[in-house]
Amino acid sequence: MEVCIKGNEAIFQGQPWKQISPPDQGMKVFVPKSEHSNYNRLKNKAKTDFHAGYLLSQLNSLNNRHGLLRSSVSRFKPTEHKLEIDGGYICYSMANGCVFVQDYSISRNKSDDKAGLYVATYSKVGGSGWKENEESRISSSHIAINGGYANLKSAVFAMPQFIERGYKPDTTQTTLETSGYSLFYNDCGTGLDSSFREVFDASIINTKGGSENAKKLAQIIRIEARAGKELNWTLHEKGHALFKRALQIALKELSPKEIENLGKQRVFYANPTMNLSVIDHYRKKAGMQLAPQRPLMNELNLSQTWGTGNAISEIHVSARQMKEQGENGLRNLTPGQLTATGFKRTMMAAVGASPYLIPQAALSVQAVSFATGWAALVISNFGANSKVIENGGDMIDHAINQFRQRA
């Protein structure tokens, strides 16, 4: 298939095309000259609309292997390719080592529980409670990213308690009812699929990849960093992995000045199900601050503590917070508090391990501690990630409520 290229223009299939990819960088990507003004409008819209930013980033990926390797090839025309993206597609042809974009589209999923950015507002009129509406850009000072919930509405109702825990006393659930908050809804659900997606986003490899949700969230981070907006992030459960991957992607696209703007943003960790030391590495690399309150972690929850290594990592992150913000007894940020926390977690681990470390004669005595300790751990793993659980009393209340629901 004959291609005539002159400068940043080309003749292909008998019509003129204009280059949209950076000069002397990867493969040359073209759009029809008649469509170039639409492409420019997309670029301008991407400055404030993360949907447009997501589509633009997918178009830009065609000049490197990452976009090409994810594309399918026509069985009838080997030169025809299609890149499936979340809610849309990009169709293009390849000739003489160049990419010619024939068509692209992104249609919003009509599902009630689709991933995306929402503004949550509280209403006391006509059925009080939280309401949510889609938005293309963050409209408030607080934004949360949820973990495993059955649907969007459940996540919207649950997040205020976590935001309050991270930013109190200045922010409470009452003040949020007045101001509202933004939510990037992570439609990971509560099943096995969500765990696989979390592993993918939490890994330290494949920084050009990540889930489609991470690529969308990266555009939101990019938009607000360029605007220099002050933001308070609350990351909940599997939302940690999503944010970490999105931050990796965004950092590769931002200028030094835009990365400097990220220093106006703060991050709070709540019920993490990935290692905090990993995500905090990228938070620190981005220059973001930690929230005023220490990370929330249910010490009786296996997935939050021992399964992720956070029984140790949370202490390291809290020590880093104390170094950055200074000691504060009200926030449990003192050397004594951190030492006490470490001792308590060590003793909890010892309770579970003690039957294997003591003489057989004493086994009957230790069996009570063993059974009690692990019973608490097991009970706390049923729905505990979705709540603020600070201590044993909160865990007992949670267990009683779970029993009543199942009875």
Side-chain angles (χ1 to χ4, degrees), residues 137-144 167 170-171 180-182 220-234 258-267 287-289:
R137 184 172 177 181
I138 298 173
S139 59
S140 59
S141 61
H142 283 280
I143 175 168
Y167 295 93
D170 293 336
T171 300
Y181 74 96
S182 295
I220 293 174
I221 294 173
R222 176 187 63 81
I223 288 170
E224 302 305 344
R226 289 177 177 171
K229 186 167 185 175
E230 295 182 8
L231 280 177
N232 299 308
W233 294 86
T234 294
E258 290 160 350
I259 292 176
E260 184 180 331
N261 284 341
L262 290 175
K264 300 177 183 179
Q265 301 183 18
R266 300 187 291 181
V267 182
M288 291 175 161
Q289 305 173 58

Short mmCIF file of all heavy atoms in Angstrom, two decimals, residues 137-144 167 170-171 180-182 220-234 258-267 287-289:
data_model
loop_
_atom_site.label_atom_id
_atom_site.label_comp_id
_atom_site.label_asym_id
_atom_site.label_seq_id
_atom_site.Cartn_x
_atom_site.Cartn_y
_atom_site.Cartn_z
N ARG A 137 -14.50 16.44 36.31
CA ARG A 137 -13.35 16.99 37.02
C ARG A 137 -13.70 17.12 38.50
O ARG A 137 -14.86 17.35 38.86
CB ARG A 137 -13.00 18.37 36.45
CG ARG A 137 -11.77 18.97 37.07
CD ARG A 137 -11.32 20.22 36.35
NE ARG A 137 -10.19 20.81 37.02
CZ ARG A 137 -9.60 21.93 36.62
NH1 ARG A 137 -10.05 22.56 35.55
NH2 ARG A 137 -8.57 22.41 37.28
N ILE A 138 -12.72 16.97 39.38
CA ILE A 138 -12.95 17.04 40.82
C ILE A 138 -13.46 18.42 41.20
O ILE A 138 -12.86 19.43 40.84
CB ILE A 138 -11.65 16.72 41.59
CG1 ILE A 138 -11.18 15.30 41.27
CG2 ILE A 138 -11.87 16.88 43.09
CD1 ILE A 138 -9.82 14.95 41.84
N SER A 139 -14.57 18.45 41.92
CA SER A 139 -15.20 19.73 42.26
C SER A 139 -15.11 20.07 43.74
O SER A 139 -15.64 21.09 44.17
CB SER A 139 -16.68 19.70 41.84
OG SER A 139 -17.36 18.64 42.51
N SER A 140 -14.48 19.23 44.54
CA SER A 140 -14.39 19.48 45.97
C SER A 140 -12.96 19.30 46.45
O SER A 140 -12.07 18.92 45.67
CB SER A 140 -15.33 18.54 46.74
OG SER A 140 -14.98 17.20 46.47
N SER A 141 -12.72 19.57 47.72
CA SER A 141 -11.35 19.44 48.26
C SER A 141 -11.04 18.02 48.70
O SER A 141 -9.88 17.68 48.92
CB SER A 141 -11.16 20.40 49.43
OG SER A 141 -12.07 20.10 50.48
N HIS A 142 -12.07 17.19 48.86
CA HIS A 142 -11.86 15.80 49.27
C HIS A 142 -12.26 14.85 48.15
O HIS A 142 -13.31 15.01 47.52
CB HIS A 142 -12.70 15.47 50.51
CG HIS A 142 -12.14 16.01 51.78
ND1 HIS A 142 -11.11 15.39 52.46
CD2 HIS A 142 -12.44 17.12 52.50
CE1 HIS A 142 -10.82 16.10 53.54
NE2 HIS A 142 -11.61 17.15 53.59
N ILE A 143 -11.41 13.86 47.89
CA ILE A 143 -11.74 12.81 46.94
C ILE A 143 -11.33 11.47 47.53
O ILE A 143 -10.23 11.32 48.07
CB ILE A 143 -11.05 13.02 45.57
CG1 ILE A 143 -11.34 11.82 44.66
CG2 ILE A 143 -9.56 13.30 45.70
CD1 ILE A 143 -10.98 12.00 43.21
N ALA A 144 -12.23 10.50 47.43
CA ALA A 144 -11.97 9.16 47.95
C ALA A 144 -11.93 8.17 46.80
O ALA A 144 -12.56 8.37 45.76
CB ALA A 144 -13.07 8.77 48.95
N TYR A 167 -8.92 13.08 58.30
CA TYR A 167 -8.73 14.53 58.30
C TYR A 167 -9.41 15.24 59.47
O TYR A 167 -9.54 16.47 59.45
CB TYR A 167 -9.23 15.10 56.96
CG TYR A 167 -8.41 14.61 55.80
CD1 TYR A 167 -8.79 13.47 55.07
CD2 TYR A 167 -7.22 15.22 55.44
CE1 TYR A 167 -8.03 12.99 54.02
CE2 TYR A 167 -6.45 14.75 54.40
CZ TYR A 167 -6.86 13.63 53.69
OH TYR A 167 -6.10 13.16 52.65
N ASP A 170 -10.62 18.86 61.60
CA ASP A 170 -11.08 19.90 60.67
C ASP A 170 -12.21 19.40 59.77
O ASP A 170 -13.06 20.18 59.35
CB ASP A 170 -9.92 20.41 59.82
CG ASP A 170 -8.88 21.15 60.64
OD1 ASP A 170 -9.25 21.66 61.72
OD2 ASP A 170 -7.71 21.21 60.23
N THR A 171 -12.17 18.11 59.43
CA THR A 171 -13.21 17.54 58.56
C THR A 171 -13.94 16.44 59.31
O THR A 171 -13.32 15.55 59.90
CB THR A 171 -12.58 16.94 57.29
OG1 THR A 171 -11.88 17.97 56.57
CG2 THR A 171 -13.65 16.35 56.38
N GLY A 180 -19.96 18.32 50.65
CA GLY A 180 -19.92 17.27 49.65
C GLY A 180 -18.50 16.77 49.44
O GLY A 180 -17.54 17.32 50.00
N TYR A 181 -18.34 15.74 48.64
CA TYR A 181 -17.01 15.22 48.33
C TYR A 181 -17.05 14.52 46.98
O TYR A 181 -18.12 14.23 46.44
CB TYR A 181 -16.52 14.26 49.43
CG TYR A 181 -17.20 12.90 49.43
CD1 TYR A 181 -16.61 11.81 48.79
CD2 TYR A 181 -18.41 12.69 50.09
CE1 TYR A 181 -17.22 10.56 48.80
CE2 TYR A 181 -19.02 11.44 50.11
CZ TYR A 181 -18.41 10.37 49.45
OH TYR A 181 -19.01 9.14 49.45
N SER A 182 -15.87 14.28 46.42
CA SER A 182 -15.77 13.57 45.15
C SER A 182 -15.37 12.12 45.41
O SER A 182 -14.68 11.82 46.39
CB SER A 182 -14.74 14.24 44.23
OG SER A 182 -15.18 15.53 43.86
N ILE A 220 -7.01 12.09 35.78
CA ILE A 220 -7.54 12.99 36.81
C ILE A 220 -6.39 13.61 37.61
O ILE A 220 -6.38 14.82 37.87
CB ILE A 220 -8.51 12.24 37.74
CG1 ILE A 220 -9.76 11.80 36.96
CG2 ILE A 220 -8.90 13.10 38.93
CD1 ILE A 220 -10.70 10.92 37.74
N ILE A 221 -5.43 12.79 37.99
CA ILE A 221 -4.26 13.29 38.73
C ILE A 221 -3.52 14.31 37.88
O ILE A 221 -3.10 15.38 38.36
CB ILE A 221 -3.32 12.13 39.11
CG1 ILE A 221 -4.02 11.19 40.12
CG2 ILE A 221 -2.01 12.65 39.69
CD1 ILE A 221 -3.24 9.93 40.43
N ARG A 222 -3.36 14.02 36.59
CA ARG A 222 -2.66 14.92 35.67
C ARG A 222 -3.37 16.28 35.58
O ARG A 222 -2.73 17.33 35.67
CB ARG A 222 -2.57 14.27 34.29
CG ARG A 222 -1.95 15.15 33.22
CD ARG A 222 -2.06 14.50 31.85
NE ARG A 222 -3.45 14.32 31.45
CZ ARG A 222 -4.20 15.27 30.92
NH1 ARG A 222 -3.72 16.48 30.74
NH2 ARG A 222 -5.45 15.02 30.56
N ILE A 223 -4.69 16.25 35.40
CA ILE A 223 -5.47 17.49 35.25
C ILE A 223 -5.33 18.37 36.48
O ILE A 223 -5.08 19.58 36.38
CB ILE A 223 -6.95 17.15 34.99
CG1 ILE A 223 -7.12 16.59 33.57
CG2 ILE A 223 -7.84 18.37 35.17
CD1 ILE A 223 -8.51 16.00 33.30
N GLU A 224 -5.48 17.77 37.67
CA GLU A 224 -5.46 18.57 38.90
C GLU A 224 -4.05 19.02 39.27
O GLU A 224 -3.87 20.07 39.88
CB GLU A 224 -6.10 17.79 40.05
CG GLU A 224 -7.54 17.35 39.79
CD GLU A 224 -8.48 18.48 39.40
OE1 GLU A 224 -8.13 19.67 39.62
OE2 GLU A 224 -9.56 18.21 38.86
N ALA A 225 -3.04 18.24 38.87
CA ALA A 225 -1.65 18.66 39.12
C ALA A 225 -1.32 19.88 38.27
O ALA A 225 -0.68 20.83 38.74
CB ALA A 225 -0.69 17.52 38.81
N ARG A 226 -1.77 19.86 37.03
CA ARG A 226 -1.51 21.00 36.14
C ARG A 226 -2.26 22.24 36.60
O ARG A 226 -1.80 23.37 36.39
CB ARG A 226 -1.88 20.62 34.71
CG ARG A 226 -0.90 19.62 34.12
CD ARG A 226 -1.26 19.15 32.73
NE ARG A 226 -0.21 18.26 32.22
CZ ARG A 226 -0.30 17.54 31.11
NH1 ARG A 226 -1.40 17.60 30.37
NH2 ARG A 226 0.70 16.77 30.73
N ALA A 227 -3.41 22.05 37.24
CA ALA A 227 -4.19 23.18 37.74
C ALA A 227 -3.67 23.67 39.09
O ALA A 227 -4.05 24.75 39.55
CB ALA A 227 -5.65 22.78 37.87
N GLY A 228 -2.80 22.88 39.73
CA GLY A 228 -2.26 23.27 41.03
C GLY A 228 -3.28 23.23 42.14
O GLY A 228 -3.20 24.00 43.11
N LYS A 229 -4.23 22.31 42.04
CA LYS A 229 -5.32 22.26 43.01
C LYS A 229 -4.88 21.58 44.32
O LYS A 229 -4.14 20.60 44.30
CB LYS A 229 -6.51 21.50 42.43
CG LYS A 229 -7.74 21.51 43.31
CD LYS A 229 -8.97 21.03 42.55
CE LYS A 229 -10.21 21.15 43.40
NZ LYS A 229 -11.44 20.81 42.67
N GLU A 230 -5.38 22.10 45.45
CA GLU A 230 -5.16 21.47 46.74
C GLU A 230 -6.22 20.37 46.93
O GLU A 230 -7.41 20.63 46.81
CB GLU A 230 -5.27 22.49 47.87
CG GLU A 230 -4.19 23.56 47.83
CD GLU A 230 -4.29 24.53 48.99
OE1 GLU A 230 -5.11 24.27 49.90
OE2 GLU A 230 -3.57 25.55 48.98
N LEU A 231 -5.76 19.16 47.21
CA LEU A 231 -6.67 18.02 47.31
C LEU A 231 -6.32 17.16 48.50
O LEU A 231 -5.16 17.05 48.91
CB LEU A 231 -6.60 17.15 46.05
CG LEU A 231 -7.38 17.62 44.81
CD1 LEU A 231 -7.12 16.66 43.66
CD2 LEU A 231 -8.86 17.70 45.10
N ASN A 232 -7.36 16.51 49.05
CA ASN A 232 -7.19 15.54 50.14
C ASN A 232 -7.70 14.19 49.64
O ASN A 232 -8.89 14.01 49.44
CB ASN A 232 -7.99 15.97 51.37
CG ASN A 232 -7.54 17.32 51.90
OD1 ASN A 232 -6.35 17.53 52.14
ND2 ASN A 232 -8.47 18.24 52.07
N TRP A 233 -6.77 13.26 49.43
CA TRP A 233 -7.12 11.93 48.94
C TRP A 233 -7.36 10.99 50.11
O TRP A 233 -6.59 10.98 51.08
CB TRP A 233 -5.99 11.36 48.08
CG TRP A 233 -5.73 12.08 46.80
CD1 TRP A 233 -4.92 13.15 46.61
CD2 TRP A 233 -6.28 11.76 45.52
NE1 TRP A 233 -4.92 13.54 45.30
CE2 TRP A 233 -5.75 12.70 44.60
CE3 TRP A 233 -7.16 10.78 45.05
CZ2 TRP A 233 -6.07 12.68 43.24
CZ3 TRP A 233 -7.49 10.76 43.70
CH2 TRP A 233 -6.94 11.70 42.81
N THR A 234 -8.40 10.17 50.02
CA THR A 234 -8.63 9.09 50.97
C THR A 234 -8.66 7.79 50.19
O THR A 234 -9.52 7.59 49.33
CB THR A 234 -9.96 9.28 51.72
OG1 THR A 234 -9.88 10.45 52.53
CG2 THR A 234 -10.26 8.08 52.62
N GLU A 258 4.65 20.65 37.38
CA GLU A 258 3.37 20.00 37.70
C GLU A 258 3.55 19.00 38.84
O GLU A 258 2.67 18.87 39.70
CB GLU A 258 2.82 19.33 36.45
CG GLU A 258 2.35 20.33 35.41
CD GLU A 258 2.25 19.75 34.01
OE1 GLU A 258 2.72 18.61 33.80
OE2 GLU A 258 1.70 20.44 33.13
N ILE A 259 4.67 18.31 38.85
CA ILE A 259 4.96 17.39 39.97
C ILE A 259 5.12 18.18 41.26
O ILE A 259 4.68 17.76 42.33
CB ILE A 259 6.22 16.55 39.67
CG1 ILE A 259 5.93 15.57 38.50
CG2 ILE A 259 6.67 15.77 40.91
CD1 ILE A 259 7.12 14.77 38.06
N GLU A 260 5.71 19.36 41.15
CA GLU A 260 5.85 20.22 42.33
C GLU A 260 4.47 20.61 42.88
O GLU A 260 4.29 20.71 44.10
CB GLU A 260 6.63 21.49 41.94
CG GLU A 260 6.91 22.42 43.10
CD GLU A 260 7.68 23.65 42.67
OE1 GLU A 260 8.45 23.55 41.69
OE2 GLU A 260 7.52 24.72 43.30
N ASN A 261 3.49 20.78 41.98
CA ASN A 261 2.13 21.11 42.42
C ASN A 261 1.49 20.00 43.23
O ASN A 261 0.57 20.26 44.03
CB ASN A 261 1.25 21.42 41.20
CG ASN A 261 1.53 22.78 40.61
OD1 ASN A 261 2.12 23.65 41.27
ND2 ASN A 261 1.14 22.99 39.37
N LEU A 262 1.95 18.77 43.04
CA LEU A 262 1.39 17.65 43.80
C LEU A 262 1.68 17.80 45.29
O LEU A 262 1.03 17.16 46.12
CB LEU A 262 1.95 16.32 43.29
CG LEU A 262 1.46 15.87 41.91
CD1 LEU A 262 2.20 14.59 41.47
CD2 LEU A 262 -0.04 15.64 41.90
N GLY A 263 2.64 18.65 45.62
CA GLY A 263 2.95 18.90 47.03
C GLY A 263 1.82 19.58 47.77
O GLY A 263 1.82 19.65 49.00
N LYS A 264 0.83 20.09 47.02
CA LYS A 264 -0.34 20.72 47.65
C LYS A 264 -1.41 19.69 48.02
O LYS A 264 -2.44 20.04 48.56
CB LYS A 264 -0.96 21.73 46.69
CG LYS A 264 -0.03 22.86 46.29
CD LYS A 264 -0.70 23.78 45.27
CE LYS A 264 0.24 24.88 44.81
NZ LYS A 264 -0.41 25.76 43.79
N GLN A 265 -1.14 18.43 47.71
CA GLN A 265 -2.14 17.38 47.94
C GLN A 265 -1.71 16.47 49.08
O GLN A 265 -0.51 16.26 49.32
CB GLN A 265 -2.35 16.58 46.65
CG GLN A 265 -2.80 17.44 45.49
CD GLN A 265 -3.08 16.65 44.23
OE1 GLN A 265 -3.27 15.43 44.25
NE2 GLN A 265 -3.12 17.34 43.10
N ARG A 266 -2.72 15.92 49.79
CA ARG A 266 -2.45 15.04 50.93
C ARG A 266 -3.12 13.69 50.71
O ARG A 266 -4.12 13.58 49.99
CB ARG A 266 -2.97 15.68 52.22
CG ARG A 266 -2.33 17.01 52.54
CD ARG A 266 -2.73 17.54 53.92
NE ARG A 266 -4.14 17.94 53.98
CZ ARG A 266 -4.72 18.44 55.07
NH1 ARG A 266 -4.01 18.60 56.19
NH2 ARG A 266 -5.99 18.79 55.06
N VAL A 267 -2.56 12.66 51.35
CA VAL A 267 -3.04 11.29 51.15
C VAL A 267 -3.27 10.62 52.50
O VAL A 267 -2.42 10.69 53.40
CB VAL A 267 -2.02 10.46 50.34
CG1 VAL A 267 -2.55 9.06 50.09
CG2 VAL A 267 -1.70 11.15 49.02
N GLY A 287 5.97 13.90 45.99
CA GLY A 287 6.02 15.08 46.84
C GLY A 287 4.72 15.35 47.57
O GLY A 287 4.56 16.42 48.18
N MET A 288 3.78 14.40 47.51
CA MET A 288 2.52 14.58 48.23
C MET A 288 2.75 14.47 49.74
O MET A 288 3.68 13.79 50.18
CB MET A 288 1.51 13.51 47.79
CG MET A 288 1.01 13.67 46.37
SD MET A 288 -0.07 12.29 45.91
CE MET A 288 -0.93 13.00 44.50
N GLN A 289 1.88 15.11 50.50
CA GLN A 289 1.97 15.05 51.95
C GLN A 289 1.08 13.92 52.49
O GLN A 289 0.17 13.46 51.80
CB GLN A 289 1.50 16.37 52.56
CG GLN A 289 2.22 17.59 52.04
CD GLN A 289 1.58 18.86 52.56
OE1 GLN A 289 1.47 19.08 53.77
NE2 GLN A 289 1.13 19.71 51.65
#
